[in-house]
Amino acid sequence: MPRRATRRYEHPRLNRRSAIQAGAIGLLGLGMNHIEPLRQAVAQQVPPRRPAAKSVIYVFLSGGLAQHDSFDLKPAAPDSIRGEFRPIATRTAGIDICEHLPLLAQRSHLWALVRSLTHRTNDHSLGHLYMLTGRSTPPPLFDALQPKSTDWPAIASVVADASAVLPGVGQSRHNLPPAVVLPERLIHNTRRVIPGQFAGQMGANRDPWFVEASAFHPKHYGAYPEYGFHHAHGADNPPGYNYQAPNLTLPEGLGGERFGRRLDLLEHVDRQRRALERAAEQEPFDRHRQNAISLLADPNTQRAFDVTNADPAVLDRYGRNLFGWSLLMARQLVEAGVTLVQVNLGNNETWDTHGNAFPHLKDYLFPPTDRALSALLDDLEERGLLDSTLIVMAGEFGRTPKISTLPEHYKLPGRDHWGAVQTVFFAGGGVRGGTVIGASDKIGAFPASQPETPENMAATIYHALGIPSVAVWHDALDRPHPIYHGEPIAGLT
């Protein structure tokens, strides 16, 4: 591909006042007055490919879902491996999953499983980076304790960048940001921010948007208020925690300076709209800037970020909890025009079930996940959006085959970190439902067939969105970097 086909156009640097007056040009950090000319230049060089999906919802289970206790049970294994849960038949003959995921079992015709994804780390931070960036080697100068500008860029940032410069990639409706992460950044209970979520080598101005709808709490886990829990002692819902959608953190470097505070879009809209409309009457904004301004005044866009005032029946369907609200917002955002929504189901490594694993999965984690994910599948299908929306669900790794005990911390057993194999869930976006790709060995320790990698998972996302295999992105020094580092998973579509 000629270099100009995917060259990143640099945003103009504006002062704070100009950024505010420019409305969504500053608010979104998108450089919208340059997007369309860049698309036209790209269109002359890259023949468009018909994508299978217009959008992606990437559900991330921070902490690591145990494959033995969810989608890859081993009922014939010894007690020390198979655990307490039993398999149940799904709607698809020959596919069994955990007994505590009955709603998903009824919808197996809509989803597929890859039971053989593998990488080589058991470390939380490196595992997050591998699975959030689609790169399973450490980047230069990697620091498990903090994100760095030398980290690989997140899948969300790559998709956002591609949707800005490649024709036919993404949705590009309502001037919405192309990539959104919700309902919170991934933060460890020590308050360190986990690497892999950001643009890294792309530059902080290409970080995805973060919808800060859930307040951080160092000992808060699960889907509050219905299913909040603590790993050591069970049910726990710290008082005073509300789901407020959204609080959006703007990209670093906006307008030549960093906004030092978070902006609540819904509160910000009414205040800024009046000033923007006055400015629009006084200044000859081009149509790209006018489109940006219209974002703030568009009630449809505002509603896309608001789930707390949704129809009560819809809220009941998804679940009135962190998981339900977050997946409902994801559906609203892809329907409104966002290309990729990453949904972090559980902060503080919620799925890190070293101990008390079986009661916590059964009572606090599987019920809201089963309900909300099933509601998302049904809702997208009923709205005619499932075929054009790829859903991917994974964690940073799987869990150990052998059940372990840590009596100094937990009363009951669990499983430890295990990067060698995990199951990844796919649905929509051209995925063949009722399909299982690859297999783990008889104790669920290593891939037994068709091993897949984070690179292949990322390539599956990029390919579904119509990103060409030869596409590149450019860093701040204008050096090209390939988007693809693997091949789309064979047999999914």
Side-chain angles (χ1 to χ4, degrees):
M1 176 187 299
R3 182 170 180 168
R4 65 179 289 197
T6 55
R7 180 172 178 175
R8 181 72 184 188
Y9 200 102
E10 292 298 319
H11 304 316
R13 299 179 70 81
L14 307 174
N15 60 33
R16 179 186 175 102
R17 183 173 182 272
S18 297
I20 292 175
Q21 288 179 339
I25 286 182
L27 182 60
L28 295 180
L30 295 178
M32 286 173 150
N33 55 321
H34 301 288
I35 293 297
E36 186 168 332
L38 189 55
R39 285 185 184 276
Q40 292 173 355
V42 171
Q44 296 172 5
Q45 301 293 331
V46 183
R49 183 176 66 79
R50 183 179 178 86
K54 295 179 180 178
S55 57
V56 173
I57 297 174
Y58 183 14
V59 181
F60 192 74
L61 307 180
S62 179
L65 173 64
Q67 67 276 17
H68 303 80
D69 308 316
S70 56
F71 296 111
D72 191 12
L73 281 75
K74 302 294 181 181
D79 291 347
S80 60
I81 291 170
R82 72 170 179 248
E84 297 180 11
F85 298 158
R86 297 294 177 260
I88 57 170
T90 67
R91 179 169 172 171
T92 304
I95 300 179
D96 296 343
I97 63 173
C98 175
E99 61 186 315
H100 301 299
L101 297 170
L103 298 177
L104 286 174
Q106 296 169 16
R107 292 158 176 81
S108 60
H109 61 294
L110 300 177
W111 49 255
L113 302 174
V114 174
R115 287 175 168 165
S116 54
L117 191 136
T118 182
H119 59 66
R120 295 183 176 181
T121 188
N122 293 334
D123 174 74
H124 277 299
S125 290
L126 200 52
H128 276 79
L129 184 131
Y130 286 179
M131 295 300 293
L132 292 175
T133 67
R135 301 286 300 276
S136 58
T137 56
L141 307 175
F142 176 72
D143 186 348
L145 300 180
Q146 62 179 336
K148 301 188 73 173
S149 61
T150 50
D151 288 343
W152 310 131
I155 293 170
S157 290
V158 172
V159 167
D161 193 70
S163 68
V165 300
L166 292 174
V169 176
Q171 303 192 76
S172 291
R173 299 207 313 273
H174 305 303
N175 296 321
L176 281 161
V180 172
V181 179
L182 61 92
E184 54 196 334
R185 297 169 187 256
L186 293 168
I187 303 176
H188 190 264
N189 59 26
T190 60
R191 297 186 182 274
R192 66 176 176 85
V193 180
I194 296 175
Q197 310 173 69
F198 308 101
Q201 296 175 10
M202 278 186 163
N205 63 316
R206 283 185 264 178
D207 284 346
W209 263 35
F210 290 86
V211 177
E212 303 284 354
S214 177
F216 172 78
H217 188 283
K219 299 298 181 183
H220 173 73
Y221 307 91
Y224 71 84
E226 293 181 298
Y227 297 98
F229 75 99
H230 188 280
H231 281 297
H233 55 74
D236 186 22
N237 282 292
Y241 280 82
N242 299 314
Y243 194 93
Q244 298 177 344
N247 293 323
L248 301 178
T249 300
L250 300 178
E252 186 176 12
L254 174 63
E257 61 181 319
R258 185 182 180 91
F259 277 90
R261 61 185 178 87
R262 295 175 180 175
L263 299 178
D264 184 318
L265 180 60
L266 295 181
E267 293 180 1
H268 186 73
V269 164
D270 288 335
R271 184 172 65 253
Q272 289 297 321
R273 181 172 54 201
R274 293 188 292 272
L276 291 166
E277 289 173 347
R278 288 194 299 270
E281 292 173 357
Q282 299 170 6
E283 299 187 27
F285 291 162
D286 63 26
R287 65 188 180 89
H288 303 287
R289 192 171 297 187
Q290 293 285 7
N291 287 341
I293 291 172
S294 72
L295 168 65
L296 295 183
D298 185 354
N300 293 325
T301 300
Q302 297 174 38
R303 283 194 293 270
F305 288 100
D306 184 13
V307 295
T308 56
N309 294 314
D311 184 281
V314 174
L315 291 173
D316 289 340
R317 184 181 194 181
Y318 278 82
R320 295 172 184 261
N321 55 63
L322 178 70
F323 291 6
W325 294 323
S326 297
L327 288 180
L328 173 57
M329 188 187 295
R331 190 273 292 165
Q332 293 181 172
L333 288 174
V334 299
E335 188 171 32
V338 175
T339 299
L340 185 143
V341 182
Q342 179 183 313
V343 183
N344 298 324
L345 289 193
N347 211 331
N348 295 352
E349 297 164 359
T350 283
W351 296 81
D352 194 25
T353 49
H354 286 284
N356 301 326
F358 300 106
H360 288 176
L361 289 168
K362 175 184 175 182
D363 297 333
Y364 305 116
L365 288 171
F366 282 160
T369 302
D370 188 42
R371 182 180 186 179
L373 189 56
S374 296
L376 177 66
L377 293 172
D378 291 348
D379 205 359
L380 289 172
E381 186 178 36
E382 291 165 8
R383 293 170 180 270
L385 297 172
L386 187 59
D387 287 343
S388 62
T389 304
L390 176 66
I391 300 170
V392 182
M393 184 171 71
E396 68 265 39
F397 41 51
R399 313 297 297 187
T400 51
K402 189 173 182 180
I403 296 170
S404 62
T405 58
L406 296 170
E408 67 275 24
H409 298 292
Y410 309 103
K411 294 180 179 179
L412 299 172
R415 300 183 193 268
D416 299 323
H417 309 169
W418 194 252
V421 73
Q422 68 167 294
T423 297
V424 180
F425 177 101
F426 291 86
V431 168
R432 292 192 299 118
T435 301
V436 174
I437 304 297
S440 64
D441 60 24
K442 63 181 181 181
I443 62 170
F446 298 96
S449 65
Q450 196 171 330
E452 302 291 349
T453 63
E455 286 83 353
N456 293 349
M457 183 194 76
T460 301
I461 292 173
Y462 301 147
H463 184 265
L465 288 171
I467 299 175
S469 60
V470 294
V472 300
W473 58 268
H474 283 79
D475 61 24
L477 298 177
D478 207 26
R479 295 172 298 193
H481 299 262
I483 289 177
Y484 281 75
H485 296 273
E487 299 291 332
I489 296 172
L492 267 181
T493 58

